[in-house]
Amino acid sequence: MGDWLLNIPVLPMAVVILAACYLVTAAIYLVITALAVGERARAFKAVSGGILSPMAILFALLIGFLAAQVWGDLDRANTAVNREASALRGVVLLASDFPGEPEARIRELVRRHIQEAVTQDWPAMSRGNATLRLVPASLTEALRLTLALDPKSEGNVAAQREMIASLESALEARRLRIVLSHSSINWVKWTALLMQAALTMVTIGLVHSDNRMANRIIMGIFATSVGVAVTLVASHSRPFAGQISVRPTVLLNVMPETGPAAPLH
């Protein structure tokens, strides 16, 4: 399915998908109606309506299979972003154990990383072209600075160790969200789903070919259900693209202010 369709709001997406379903349905109906004469009409009517139940069940199973994939990816993407934000927040809090220039520098590097994630990573992830080849310079510099700290007490040693672990966790979470940004439903799965829908539509048309009004009603209902189901899956198919996607809000919420934190009283 085209990237342009997956990146538009849900309502226009639904209109486009439903319009396509209705056009295909109308074409199938017109072809079957034109062919349903003479011997062919009797052959069409001989098609048993019992075949519709297993075909509809198979279509429902395909929808469920794809829905499980896209919602699983969306959950993992949310978890990765939350984990990254939590790790960065931990770094900022622990940096207060190293007051002065080290704390200010670490806070500024975390702030810069979040700004780069929002302004660079998210647009690239929404297009599906984010890459792991570019190492996040701010987090790498923060990790290097943390490793170079000179702890003066056991508390400083523990804080330094936790900061290193949090920075590594943030790097891993960033890697995971970029990997998940490439997740999508491939053309084979879309083709199988749409072919199953089309075959079910053809079967409905054959079974009810002797009653045109009933045929139009039943095919219209099924076309609507297919459009709604496809819209549901398509709107969630890319974790970082479209109206229903993972946003960097939680990262912005943990962005530190410029300079060291004010002391608590």
Coordinates of all heavy atoms in Angstrom, one line a residue, residues 47-48 50-62 195-204 222:
V47 N -24.0 -22.5 -7.5 CA -22.9 -22.3 -6.5 C -23.6 -22.2 -5.1 O -24.5 -21.5 -4.9 CB -22.1 -21.0 -6.7 CG1 -21.1 -20.7 -5.6 CG2 -21.4 -21.0 -8.1
S48 N -23.1 -23.1 -4.2 CA -23.7 -23.2 -2.9 C -23.3 -22.0 -2.0 O -22.2 -21.6 -1.9 CB -23.2 -24.5 -2.2 OG -23.7 -24.5 -0.9
G50 N -23.2 -22.1 1.1 CA -22.4 -22.6 2.2 C -20.9 -22.3 2.1 O -20.3 -22.3 3.1
I51 N -20.5 -22.0 0.9 CA -19.0 -21.7 0.8 C -18.7 -20.3 1.3 O -17.5 -20.0 1.6 CB -18.6 -21.7 -0.7 CG1 -17.1 -21.8 -0.9 CG2 -19.2 -20.5 -1.5 CD1 -16.6 -22.0 -2.3
L52 N -19.7 -19.4 1.5 CA -19.5 -18.1 2.0 C -18.9 -18.1 3.4 O -18.1 -17.2 3.8 CB -20.7 -17.2 1.9 CG -21.2 -16.9 0.5 CD1 -22.5 -16.2 0.5 CD2 -20.1 -16.0 -0.2
S53 N -19.4 -18.9 4.3 CA -19.0 -18.9 5.7 C -17.5 -19.2 5.8 O -16.8 -18.4 6.5 CB -19.8 -20.0 6.5 OG -21.2 -19.5 6.6
P54 N -16.9 -20.3 5.2 CA -15.5 -20.5 5.4 C -14.7 -19.4 4.7 O -13.6 -19.0 5.3 CB -15.2 -21.8 4.7 CG -16.4 -22.1 3.9 CD -17.6 -21.4 4.6
M55 N -15.1 -18.8 3.7 CA -14.4 -17.7 3.0 C -14.4 -16.5 3.9 O -13.4 -15.8 4.0 CB -15.0 -17.4 1.6 CG -14.8 -18.5 0.6 SD -15.4 -18.1 -1.0 CE -14.1 -17.0 -1.5
A56 N -15.5 -16.2 4.5 CA -15.6 -15.0 5.4 C -14.7 -15.2 6.6 O -14.1 -14.3 7.1 CB -17.1 -14.8 5.8
I57 N -14.7 -16.5 7.1 CA -13.9 -16.8 8.3 C -12.4 -16.6 7.9 O -11.6 -16.1 8.7 CB -14.2 -18.2 8.8 CG1 -15.6 -18.2 9.4 CG2 -13.1 -18.6 9.8 CD1 -16.1 -19.6 9.8
L58 N -12.0 -17.1 6.8 CA -10.6 -16.9 6.3 C -10.2 -15.5 6.2 O -9.2 -15.1 6.6 CB -10.4 -17.7 5.0 CG -9.0 -17.7 4.4 CD1 -8.0 -18.2 5.5 CD2 -8.9 -18.5 3.1
F59 N -11.2 -14.6 5.7 CA -10.9 -13.2 5.6 C -10.7 -12.6 7.0 O -9.8 -11.8 7.2 CB -12.0 -12.5 4.8 CG -11.9 -11.0 4.8 CD1 -11.0 -10.4 3.9 CD2 -12.7 -10.2 5.6 CE1 -10.8 -9.0 3.9 CE2 -12.5 -8.8 5.6 CZ -11.6 -8.2 4.7
A60 N -11.6 -13.0 7.9 CA -11.5 -12.5 9.3 C -10.2 -12.9 9.9 O -9.5 -12.2 10.7 CB -12.7 -13.0 10.1
L61 N -9.7 -14.2 9.7 CA -8.4 -14.6 10.2 C -7.3 -13.8 9.7 O -6.3 -13.5 10.4 CB -8.3 -16.1 9.9 CG -9.1 -17.1 10.7 CD1 -9.0 -18.5 10.2 CD2 -8.8 -17.0 12.2
L62 N -7.3 -13.5 8.4 CA -6.3 -12.7 7.8 C -6.2 -11.3 8.4 O -5.2 -10.7 8.7 CB -6.5 -12.6 6.3 CG -6.2 -13.8 5.5 CD1 -6.6 -13.6 4.0 CD2 -4.7 -14.2 5.6
M195 N -7.0 -10.2 -2.2 CA -7.5 -11.2 -3.0 C -8.6 -12.0 -2.4 O -9.6 -12.4 -3.0 CB -6.3 -12.1 -3.4 CG -5.4 -11.5 -4.5 SD -6.3 -11.4 -6.1 CE -6.6 -13.1 -6.5
Q196 N -8.4 -12.3 -1.1 CA -9.4 -13.1 -0.3 C -10.7 -12.3 -0.3 O -11.8 -12.8 -0.5 CB -9.0 -13.4 1.1 CG -10.0 -14.2 1.9 CD -10.3 -15.5 1.3 OE1 -9.4 -16.1 0.7 NE2 -11.5 -16.0 1.6
A197 N -10.6 -11.0 -0.1 CA -11.8 -10.1 -0.1 C -12.5 -10.1 -1.4 O -13.8 -10.2 -1.5 CB -11.5 -8.7 0.3
A198 N -11.7 -10.0 -2.5 CA -12.3 -10.0 -3.9 C -13.0 -11.4 -4.2 O -14.0 -11.4 -4.8 CB -11.2 -9.7 -4.9
L199 N -12.3 -12.5 -3.8 CA -12.9 -13.8 -4.1 C -14.2 -14.0 -3.3 O -15.2 -14.5 -3.9 CB -11.9 -14.9 -3.7 CG -10.7 -15.0 -4.6 CD1 -9.7 -16.0 -4.0 CD2 -11.1 -15.5 -6.0
T200 N -14.2 -13.5 -2.1 CA -15.5 -13.6 -1.3 C -16.6 -12.7 -2.0 O -17.8 -13.1 -2.1 CB -15.3 -13.1 0.1 OG1 -14.2 -13.9 0.7 CG2 -16.5 -13.3 1.0
M201 N -16.2 -11.6 -2.5 CA -17.2 -10.7 -3.2 C -17.7 -11.4 -4.4 O -18.9 -11.3 -4.7 CB -16.5 -9.4 -3.5 CG -17.4 -8.3 -4.0 SD -18.4 -7.6 -2.7 CE -17.1 -6.7 -1.8
V202 N -16.8 -12.0 -5.2 CA -17.3 -12.7 -6.4 C -18.2 -13.8 -6.0 O -19.3 -14.0 -6.7 CB -16.0 -13.3 -7.2 CG1 -16.5 -14.2 -8.3 CG2 -15.2 -12.1 -7.7
T203 N -17.9 -14.6 -5.0 CA -18.8 -15.6 -4.6 C -20.2 -15.1 -4.1 O -21.2 -15.7 -4.5 CB -18.2 -16.4 -3.4 OG1 -16.8 -16.8 -3.8 CG2 -19.0 -17.6 -3.0
I204 N -20.2 -14.0 -3.4 CA -21.5 -13.4 -3.0 C -22.3 -13.1 -4.3 O -23.5 -13.3 -4.4 CB -21.3 -12.2 -2.2 CG1 -20.7 -12.5 -0.8 CG2 -22.6 -11.4 -2.0 CD1 -20.3 -11.3 0.0
F222 N -20.8 -6.0 2.4 CA -19.5 -6.6 2.6 C -18.4 -5.7 2.1 O -17.3 -5.6 2.8 CB -19.5 -7.9 1.7 CG -18.2 -8.7 1.9 CD1 -18.0 -9.3 3.1 CD2 -17.2 -8.7 0.9 CE1 -16.8 -10.0 3.3 CE2 -16.1 -9.4 1.1 CZ -15.8 -10.1 2.3

